[in-house]
Amino acid sequence: MLEGMRTTQRKAQEVAEREQRLLRTALEVVARDGLHNLTLARLAAEAGYSKGTIYNHFTCREDLLVALSTDSAKRQIRYYQAIADLPWDGVRALYGLMLAYMRHAETAPELFESSIAALANAVGALASPERLERRDVIDRQMGQVIGSVVERTKREGAFKHPALLPEAALDALRSAVLGYTVTHLLSRRFQWGDVTTDGNRLVVAASVMHGLGWPRIEASAASSVQRVVDDLIPAEEKAGGERLVHG
C-alpha cells in the first residue's frame, strides 16, 4: 500500500514537472512567433511530445492560456505578499503593488500577454472548469493580499475621496494600471506619446493614485519603492542567456 502511494505521488510529480516544461515551451513559442501562433499542435511539435500527451494536460488552447495566466498570477501573488509584509505604511505598500504589476509585465512580457488574453470571455467559455477554478483560487488569494493593503491605508486615515469608496477607487486604479501597462510596456501601438514618456512612470502612478484618493508620495520615496520592486523582481533570462528587460 505504501509503495502504491509512493508510485502515485511520483507519477503526479512527473506530470506536474512535464506541465511546467510545456508552459516554458509555450512561452518560448510566444516570444519567438507571437501568441497567435501558439496552438496545441505547435506546442506538441516544439516540446517533442505526441498530441495525445499534450491533450492529457490541456483539453484545448483555452486551457493552455488559463494555465499560463494561473502561472502569472502565482508569480504576482508572491511579489505582492513580499511587498505587503514589508514594514511600510499602507500608501507606500500600495505604490509597491502597483509598480510590481508593471515590473512583472516588463520582466515576463510573454507570460503577461498570455494572461491578458486568458481574461477574454471566449476563453472562459471554452476552458475547463477545473482550470478556471485553479486560477480563481489564486485570484482570490491575490485579492486578499491587495485588500489587506487597502485596509491598511483606511486604518491609517490615508484614503480620502469625496465620492468614491475605497473598493471603487481600487477597481479604478487597477484598470488604470492595466491600461498603462498594456500601452506602454506590452505594446506601443496604442501609445500617443513618444518613448521618452516612459521616464514619467512614477509621476503618472503618483498622479493616478492621488486623483483616486490616496496621498502623493515624494519623488525620492517613490524611487525608493521602485528600487525595492526591481530587486524583488529581477530581469529573467531567455534560454540563450539574454536578459529580457531590466527597466
Side-chain angles (χ1 to χ4, degrees):
M1 181 176 180
L2 182 59
E3 183 61 29
M5 291 177 59
R6 288 174 178 169
T7 300
T8 300
Q9 291 173 348
R10 184 172 62 253
K11 288 183 177 179
Q13 182 176 352
E14 290 172 354
V15 169
E17 290 174 351
R18 183 169 61 234
E19 182 155 313
Q20 286 303 306
R21 290 195 297 272
L22 290 173
L23 293 180
R24 286 194 295 270
T25 301
L27 291 175
E28 291 172 1
V29 172
V30 175
R32 187 176 63 247
D33 302 317
L35 182 61
H36 61 287
N37 283 314
L38 177 61
T39 64
L40 296 190
R42 182 68 179 277
L43 179 58
E46 293 282 343
Y49 288 108
S50 67
K51 291 183 180 180
T53 298
I54 300 299
Y55 278 97
N56 284 336
H57 286 268
F58 314 109
T59 62
C60 55
R61 181 176 186 268
E62 288 74 17
D63 260 7
L64 175 58
L65 291 176
V66 172
L68 289 168
S69 72
T70 302
D71 194 50
S72 177
K74 287 179 178 178
R75 294 193 193 191
Q76 287 177 266
I77 197 171
R78 288 199 302 269
Y79 306 147
Y80 293 172
Q81 189 63 66
I83 290 170
D85 290 341
L86 291 171
W88 287 349
D89 59 46
V91 171
R92 188 166 300 200
L94 193 56
Y95 269 83
L97 296 182
M98 178 171 54
L99 294 175
Y101 184 86
M102 298 180 187
R103 181 66 177 169
H104 173 58
E106 279 188 310
T107 59
E110 293 82 24
L111 189 60
F112 180 78
E113 181 181 6
S114 301
S115 70
I116 296 300
L119 294 175
N121 288 336
V123 173
L126 295 175
S128 65
E130 294 79 12
R131 287 284 177 186
L132 293 171
E133 177 57 24
R134 290 183 212 173
R135 186 185 65 184
D136 289 346
V137 167
I138 303 300
D139 284 345
R140 288 193 292 269
Q141 293 173 351
M142 193 186 312
Q144 290 172 356
V145 175
I146 297 171
S148 70
V149 171
V150 173
E151 283 296 321
R152 196 187 313 173
T153 68
K154 290 167 59 179
R155 290 195 305 270
E156 294 167 351
F159 177 79
K160 296 178 182 179
H161 194 284
L164 287 177
L165 293 174
E167 295 76 14
L170 176 62
D171 184 62
L173 177 63
R174 178 177 179 271
S175 297
V177 173
L178 171 61
Y180 184 91
T181 302
V182 169
T183 57
H184 286 71
L185 305 180
L186 185 61
S187 171
R188 300 187 186 280
R189 287 176 296 172
F190 304 108
Q191 188 173 335
W192 287 353
D194 58 34
V195 294
T196 61
T197 61
D198 286 357
N200 298 325
R201 185 187 309 180
L202 293 178
V203 177
V204 170
S207 299
V208 170
M209 283 194 60
H210 182 64
L212 289 171
W214 287 283
R216 189 192 306 269
I217 64 176
E218 297 295 329
S220 59
S223 296
S224 176
V225 172
Q226 181 71 72
R227 286 193 294 273
V228 171
V229 169
D230 288 351
D231 289 341
L232 178 65
I233 313 174
E236 297 183 353
E237 292 185 356
K238 293 182 179 179
E242 177 185 351
R243 302 299 282 185
L244 287 176
V245 177
H246 199 130

